[in-house]
């Protein structure tokens, strides 16, 4: 019987391909009476009979099944047996018998074939439905209830009718049925037959899943038959490219079985298992499962081979292939932070370093891919540098393979945060290959990696000098337009470093780079805004550049970024304002023209971000050089807010805070107000800092505060004289003068008090 059904399956389904799914609107109509539904059933049967006659005459019409049968997931021919049963219960046996005669034996074969392929999601099983099953809600027949939301959405997008399913779908389902019931030889032959299909095609992948083939394939992994395991893994390796399939494999516990196979003495099995893990471990739960069942250690062991020998034996070639598959699996797993640490603890980094010397690109790509994923962790960057991998990464920048070049550049991008790595890249002549990669502007991923590596390498001024020799700056300016944000972030970051050299500021201007930089200030990408404001600020130190920035309304755009919710953007914008204010032609008027700008600056002193506070204090120091602006700042309550910050222990904030206090003392009674607010005593403690820049700004602030008698008394009580005398021996002239001036004011007050006592 089963064989007959299987034989009749394909042609019978082709005959009923005219049946369409019921519209959603029809399903949502009010439920009609039972008798009315039965009447419709007979009416549909009559229409079907007429349709069969019309088809013979060459006519083609399409009808839809009854909504009640559609709700149960059954098309019309499958519901015929139930129709007969319900008809008899109402005393309508004759009508049922007449329908049976009209359809004849051909309808029976259609009905049987339809049941045999009804394992699609949303359809009933191939067994006869009991009265109890009919009474259950529709949800009981759904197969996607245990799947994730993502899988359900993808399943819902599949066609509901059988019309769109190709012949391969049904043929694969037949093979899966043989797979379920065959012996060892039949199983191997069936697996071979399945591999003849294009298993990378989604229809073939889902056909295996829909008929329960995944269960069988996963069960075969637990057998002792190597051929069955190899066949199963070869199929799983291909179909696991499908998102739904890989999730189903994890849900069924198949990943645990695959991880166990990594211990097998059969090298082909280990390679296939590792490659399958590489496909399945594309989402977080799968990566966690691999780690929890000891898969990371097992995968790291697979890397132990000698890949760079001139001639390899057949056995060694298998070892290299196993290592390649292991590297692929580790690449997928390394996207998890905990897995990165597990790889390091398992000793994976030195083994990856050894494989990095391989001459084969198919080995290098997963190895470098794993390294660049792990290079986001500082401990990895240290090991990569210590193991001498930078030389190999630089060497592979000259490869002809774009993907390999991209991963190498990306690894350098992440590792070049360290000064020594930047020097090593220059030492091994890696800067010129990076510049040459800028010519491949069509490959955006490669371009993003190359510009990122150039950005980080340009943090060292020695590297910037080399980049200038290779004309990198002109090329980078040309990349400021018509590029994706991930490229722009890196390009602008590099320009910000290049602009720290005076000659490059003029080059950026001559190449027309100021206008596109200012235009980027209107974006929303926070990383891009941080780099753009830094670059604009660096360019603004040149007065000719500043004139262009002011003309393009760049200062207003930078100032508006102080409203950005990101602390990084706020601080970067405030730092950029400092050179803009300092080099503007009429800075005071420019600042006053920004409505609400000074109030915004003062309010940011309430921030809890140290970097924001330091940058705002630096900006206030520049703004308060203009008396009118200082008066406005005072009216907005800048004095008590600055005084409140004086208890900080951060030297960067101390430096700019003291500078801001020193400049704000030059208006009205601000000196006395700082004393009343308790700002003087904390400033005295700043002189104990080891930062000479803190000493300089603090001495300037104390000198201004010492012009108020009460502040002098406080300073003397806190022991300011001794450290000031020490500072007076500094080589910095301004620092000497400020310290001496403060001591002089304290001494003058002491003399005045002494004279007052003598003449009382």
């Amino acid at each position: 019987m089963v064989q007959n059904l299987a034989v009749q399956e394909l042609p019978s389904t082709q005959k009923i391909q005219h049946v369409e799914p019921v519209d959603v609107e029809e399903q949502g109509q009010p439920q009609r009476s039972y008798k009315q539904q039965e009447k419709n059933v007979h009416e549909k049967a009559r229409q079907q009979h007429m349709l069969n006659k019309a088809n013979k005459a060459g006519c083609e019409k399409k009808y839809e099944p009854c909504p009640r049968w559609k709700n149960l997931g059954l098309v019309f021919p499958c519901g015929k047996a139930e129709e007969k049963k319900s008809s008899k219960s109402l005393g309508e046996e004759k009508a049922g018998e007449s329908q049976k005669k009209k359809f004849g034996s051909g309808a029976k074969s259609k009905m049987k074939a339809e049941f045999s392929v009804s394992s699609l999601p949303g359809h009933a099983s191939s067994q006869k439905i009991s009265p109890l099953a009919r009474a259950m809600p529709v949800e009981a027949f759904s197969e996607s209830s245990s799947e994730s939301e993502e899988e359900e959405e993808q399943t819902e997008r599949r066609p509901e009718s059988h019309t769109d399913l190709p012949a391969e779908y049904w043929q694969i389902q037949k093979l899966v049925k043989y797979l379920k019931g065959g012996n060892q030889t039949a199983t191997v032959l069936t697996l071979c037959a399945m591999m003849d299909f294009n298993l990378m095609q989604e229809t073939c992948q889902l056909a295996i899943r829909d008929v329960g083939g995944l269960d069988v394939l996963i069960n075969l992994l637990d057998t002792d038959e190597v051929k069955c395991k190899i066949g199963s893994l070869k199929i799983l390796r291909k179909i696991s490219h499908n998102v739904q399939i890989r999730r189903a494999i994890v849900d069924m516990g198949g990943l645990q079985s695959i991880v166990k196979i990594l211990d097998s003495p059969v090298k082909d099995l280990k390679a296939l298992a590792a490659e399958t893990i590489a496909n399945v471990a594309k989402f977080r739960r799968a990566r966690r499962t691999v780690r929890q069942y000891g898969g990371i250690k097992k995968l790291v062991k697979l890397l132990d081979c000698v890949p760079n020998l001139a001639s390899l034996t057949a056995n060694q070639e298998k070892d290299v292939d196993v290592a390649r598959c292991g590297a692929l699996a580790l690449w997928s797993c390394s996207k998890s932070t905990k897995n990165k640490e597990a790889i390091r603890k398992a000793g994976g980094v030195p083994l990856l370093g050894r494989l990095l010397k391989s001459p084969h690109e198919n080995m290098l790509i997963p190895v470098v891919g794993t390294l660049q994923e792990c290079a986001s962790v500082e401990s990895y960057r240290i090991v990569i540098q210590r193991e001498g991998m930078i030389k190999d990464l630089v060497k592979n920048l000259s490869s002809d393979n774009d993907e390999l070049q991209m991963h190498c550049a990306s690894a350098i991008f992440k590792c070049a945060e360290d000064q020594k790595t930047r020097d090593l890249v220059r030492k091994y002549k890696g800067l010129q290959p990076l510049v040459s990669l800028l010519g491949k502007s069509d490959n955006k991923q490669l371009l993003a990696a190359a510009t990122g590596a150039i950005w980080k390498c340009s943090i060292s001024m020695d590297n910037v000098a080399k980049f200038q020799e290779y004309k990198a700056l002109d090329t980078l300016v040309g990349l400021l337009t018509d590029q994706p944000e991930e490229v722009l972030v890196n390009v602008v970051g590099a320009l910000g470093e290049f602009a720290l050299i005076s000659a490059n500021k003029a080059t950026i201007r001559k190449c027309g780079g100021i206008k596109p930089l200012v235009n980027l200030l209107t974006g929303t990408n926070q990383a891009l805004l941080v780099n753009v404001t830094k670059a604009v600020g660096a360019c603004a130190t040149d007065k000719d550049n500043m004139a262009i920035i002011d003309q393009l309304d760049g200062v207003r755009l930078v100032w508006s970024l102080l409203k950005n919710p990101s602390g990084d953007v706020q601080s970067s914008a405030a730092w950029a304002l400092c050179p803009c204010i300092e080099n503007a032609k009429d800075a005071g008027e420019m600042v006053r023209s920004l409505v609400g700008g000074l109030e915004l600056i003062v309010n940011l002193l309430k921030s809890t971000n140290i970097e924001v506070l330091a940058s705002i204090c630096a900006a206030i120091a520049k703004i308060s050089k203009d008396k009118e602006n200082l008066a406005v700042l005072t009216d907005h309550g800048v004095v008590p807010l600055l005084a409140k910050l004086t208890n900080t222990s951060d030297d960067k904030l101390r430096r700019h805070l003291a500078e801001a206090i020193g400049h704000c003392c030059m208006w009205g009674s601000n000196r006395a107000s700082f004393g009343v607010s308790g700002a003087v005593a904390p400033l005295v403690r700043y002189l104990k800092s080891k930062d000479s820049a803190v000493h300089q700004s603090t001495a300037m602030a104390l000198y201004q505060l010492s012009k108020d008698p009460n502040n002098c008394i406080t300073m003397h009580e806190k022991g300011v004289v001794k450290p000031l005398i020490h500072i007076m021996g500094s080589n910095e002239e301004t620092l000497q003068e400020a310290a001496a001036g403060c001591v002089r004011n304290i001494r003058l007050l002491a003399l005045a008090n002494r004279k007052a006592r003598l003449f009382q």
Side-chain angles (χ1 to χ4, degrees), residues 287-354:
R287 293 192 286 268
R288 184 173 64 245
T289 302
V290 174
R291 182 180 71 253
Q292 289 174 344
Y293 285 86
I296 299 297
K297 290 182 180 179
K298 295 176 182 180
L299 289 170
V300 168
K301 286 181 182 178
L302 300 185
L303 302 179
D304 195 3
C305 70
V306 184
N308 54 342
L309 293 178
S311 59
L312 297 172
T313 64
N315 197 39
Q316 288 174 329
E317 284 181 359
K318 280 191 175 183
D319 287 337
V320 171
D321 190 54
V322 169
R324 179 189 65 82
C325 296
L328 279 170
L330 287 173
W331 187 9
S332 295
C333 293
S334 65
K335 290 176 173 61
S336 163
T337 305
K338 291 183 178 179
N339 284 353
K340 290 175 186 176
E341 184 61 21
I343 293 169
R344 189 185 64 80
K345 288 182 177 178
V349 186
L351 292 173
L352 288 168
R354 190 197 300 173

Side-chain angles (χ1 to χ4, degrees), residues 186-298:
T187 299
V188 173
L189 291 174
T190 305
L191 290 171
C192 293
M194 288 177 70
M195 283 186 283
D196 289 337
F197 289 91
N198 180 12
L199 295 178
M200 298 301 291
Q201 186 178 343
E202 186 182 22
T203 306
C204 297
Q205 294 167 347
L206 297 181
I208 294 173
R209 186 201 67 175
D210 293 345
V211 80
L214 276 180
D215 289 310
V216 183
L217 292 172
I218 290 170
N219 286 339
L220 288 175
L221 300 179
D222 295 324
T223 64
D224 296 327
E225 296 299 327
V226 174
K227 290 182 180 179
C228 291
K229 286 183 177 180
I230 289 175
S232 175
L233 281 172
K234 282 185 176 180
I235 294 171
L236 287 171
R237 178 186 61 179
K238 288 188 176 182
I239 66 176
S240 58
H241 284 88
N242 184 289
V243 175
Q244 300 176 57
I245 298 291
R246 68 173 72 118
R247 289 187 178 274
I249 289 172
V250 177
D251 292 339
M252 294 175 182
L255 199 51
Q256 290 90 314
S257 300
I258 298 172
V259 168
K260 286 179 185 177
I261 293 175
L262 295 174
D263 291 325
S264 170
V266 182
K267 292 176 181 178
D268 289 339
L269 273 178
K270 290 195 286 189
L272 287 169
E275 204 166 350
T276 306
I277 290 172
N279 294 335
V280 175
K282 299 289 187 183
F283 61 103
R284 187 180 304 169
R285 184 157 52 92
R287 293 192 286 268
R288 184 173 64 245
T289 302
V290 174
R291 182 180 71 253
Q292 289 174 344
Y293 285 86
I296 299 297
K297 290 182 180 179
K298 295 176 182 180

Side-chain angles (χ1 to χ4, degrees), residues 312-617:
L312 297 172
T313 64
N315 197 39
Q316 288 174 329
E317 284 181 359
K318 280 191 175 183
D319 287 337
V320 171
D321 190 54
V322 169
R324 179 189 65 82
C325 296
L328 279 170
L330 287 173
W331 187 9
S332 295
C333 293
S334 65
K335 290 176 173 61
S336 163
T337 305
K338 291 183 178 179
N339 284 353
K340 290 175 186 176
E341 184 61 21
I343 293 169
R344 189 185 64 80
K345 288 182 177 178
V349 186
L351 292 173
L352 288 168
R354 190 197 300 173
L355 295 176
L356 194 55
K357 300 183 183 298
S358 170
H360 305 293
E361 288 179 353
N362 64 346
M363 171 70 84
L364 289 170
I365 289 173
V367 168
V368 179
T370 305
L371 287 172
Q372 67 91 13
E373 282 289 346
C374 295
S376 58
V377 181
E378 185 179 2
S379 58
Y380 268 92
R381 296 197 290 268
I382 295 170
V383 177
I384 288 171
Q385 181 193 110
R386 189 177 66 233
E387 294 287 333
M389 297 186 208
I390 300 298
K391 183 177 182 179
D392 295 311
L393 291 173
V394 168
K395 176 186 173 183
N396 288 312
L397 283 174
S398 303
S399 167
D400 294 330
N401 188 299
D402 286 358
E403 187 179 3
L404 179 56
Q405 288 178 319
M406 178 192 71
H407 292 310
C408 288
S410 182
I412 292 172
F413 172 28
K414 293 175 181 177
C415 291
E417 296 279 354
D418 181 74
Q419 170 71 43
K420 191 172 181 182
T421 299
R422 295 195 290 269
D423 294 340
L424 286 172
V425 174
R426 182 177 70 254
K427 177 183 175 182
Y428 295 127
K429 304 186 185 312
L431 300 181
Q432 189 168 10
L434 286 173
V435 175
S436 66
L437 292 179
L438 298 179
K440 299 185 177 183
S441 56
D442 293 336
N443 188 334
K444 300 305 178 185
Q445 286 184 316
L446 176 57
L447 188 61
T451 51
I454 291 172
W455 169 25
K456 295 302 180 182
C457 287
S458 63
I459 295 173
S460 297
M461 289 299 105
D462 291 337
N463 288 346
V464 173
K466 283 289 183 183
F467 282 133
Q468 285 178 276
E469 292 179 17
Y470 306 137
K471 307 294 182 185
L473 185 55
D474 299 10
T475 309
L476 288 170
V477 171
L479 294 173
L480 284 173
T481 53
D482 301 324
Q483 296 297 335
E485 286 185 343
E486 55 268 25
V487 174
L488 289 173
V489 169
N490 299 334
V491 169
V492 176
L495 290 177
E497 300 298 337
F498 275 72
L500 296 177
I501 296 176
S502 299
N504 290 340
K505 297 170 189 175
T507 305
I508 292 172
R509 182 180 70 252
K510 290 174 183 176
C511 292
I514 303 297
K515 186 174 181 179
L517 280 174
V518 172
N519 290 339
L520 290 174
L521 290 169
T522 58
T524 56
N525 184 304
Q526 293 183 351
L528 179 57
L529 289 174
V530 169
N531 286 352
V532 170
T533 47
K534 182 179 178 181
V536 169
C539 290
T541 55
D542 181 277
K543 291 196 173 183
D544 292 333
N545 288 350
M546 183 57 218
I548 299 173
I549 293 170
D550 194 15
Q551 183 182 354
L552 295 170
D553 207 18
V555 178
R556 183 186 61 81
L557 292 173
V558 173
W559 207 296
S560 67
L561 292 177
L562 295 175
K563 299 177 182 177
N564 194 287
S566 167
D568 292 336
V569 175
Q570 289 175 347
S571 61
S572 185
W575 288 122
L577 286 175
C578 296
C580 290
I581 295 168
E582 192 170 8
N583 294 287
K585 185 175 283 188
D586 188 357
E589 184 59 36
M590 179 188 72
V591 171
R592 284 192 293 277
S593 68
L594 301 169
V595 179
L598 293 175
E599 184 180 3
L600 177 60
I601 283 277
V602 173
N603 285 335
L604 284 174
L605 289 173
K606 299 172 185 176
S607 173
T608 56
N609 187 312
I610 296 293
E611 188 68 21
V612 171
L613 291 172
S615 59
I616 291 297
C617 287

